[in-house]
Amino acid sequence: MLNYLWGVMIIVGIVYACITGNLAAISDGALDAAKEAVDLCITMVGVMSVWTGLMRIAGDCGLIGKCSRGIGPLMHWIFPDVPAESKAMEHMTTNVIANFLGLGWAATPAGIKAMEELGKLSHMKERASNAMCAFLVINISSIQLIPITIIGYRSQYGSASPTAIVMPAIAATTVSTLAGIIFCRIMYKKH
């Protein structure tokens, strides 16, 4: 549906540009946007590579394991029907830690693996389990200590203070995560 919406908006924009004689502005805008997209991708690939590498090093040296044991009781409380020793819990914990550090891109592979493992644990093959829904809510809301991606975007676009977003991001993501956890706990009680 969204593809159709974008397609219609593009066609309407081109037709309007033809009618008003601004077709050159459309082509200039498309070329400028393409250049900007490539520049942004190069910048963000660098940021992502550094932080994904650091997550890999943290995992290899045992830091992720120690953090996982530290937040294990909280994770078990949030996800009571997921066994603590399961691969699903390991991947979910890695995802939560990466999101907490603001490494959304580094968290994505762990999140996908966690959902696959939660699917294996689920007795309901036709729909998402409570744990899958709760994980999705927590993953989307995720508290971020350092919003690396947003800082990277702000830096790329010439912000005078790219890190000024840190405190507002911590406040916003804390509130959204707490709301998500409360919602998930209410839904667990209902089922």
Side-chain angles (χ1 to χ4, degrees):
M1 180 67 188
L2 195 55
N3 290 339
Y4 295 121
L5 179 62
W6 280 109
V8 168
M9 288 178 12
I10 290 169
I11 291 169
V12 167
I14 291 171
V15 169
Y16 182 77
C18 287
I19 292 170
T20 60
N22 291 324
L23 197 54
I26 293 277
S27 61
D28 290 344
L31 292 174
D32 289 345
K35 178 186 177 297
E36 188 174 315
V38 169
D39 290 343
L40 181 61
C41 285
I42 290 170
T43 299
M44 296 315 290
V45 163
V47 170
M48 181 182 71
S49 298
V50 167
W51 287 104
T52 303
L54 286 175
M55 282 298 289
R56 179 71 184 251
I57 292 168
D60 290 348
C61 76
L63 184 61
I64 298 292
K66 288 178 184 176
C67 291
S68 295
R69 286 187 293 282
I71 67 168
L74 175 64
M75 292 293 287
H76 183 68
W77 181 77
I78 296 171
F79 307 101
D81 54 348
V82 178
E85 68 284 346
S86 71
K87 284 298 238 183
M89 187 63 82
E90 178 185 330
H91 294 306
M92 290 180 352
T93 304
T94 301
N95 176 274
V96 167
I97 291 168
N99 275 327
F100 179 74
L101 296 174
L103 311 175
W105 289 343
T108 300
I112 292 170
K113 289 177 186 175
M115 280 299 203
E116 289 172 352
E117 293 297 325
L118 287 171
K120 292 175 186 175
L121 292 174
S122 177
H123 301 292
M124 304 174 291
K125 300 299 179 193
E126 300 296 317
R127 62 187 184 134
S129 67
N130 286 340
M132 292 171 91
C133 294
F135 178 65
L136 186 60
V137 168
I138 301 304
N139 189 9
I140 290 169
S141 64
S142 72
I143 293 177
Q144 289 190 1
L145 182 62
I146 306 167
I148 298 297
T149 304
I150 300 302
I151 291 171
Y153 286 142
R154 289 173 54 90
S155 179
Q156 172 71 21
Y157 288 110
S159 172
S161 180
T163 58
I165 193 73
V166 171
M167 289 311 294
I170 290 171
T173 58
T174 299
V175 169
S176 68
T177 301
L178 289 175
I181 290 171
I182 291 167
F183 175 77
C184 291
R185 292 303 299 170
I186 291 169
M187 295 310 292
Y188 266 114
K189 298 244 189 259
K190 285 187 175 185
H191 291 275

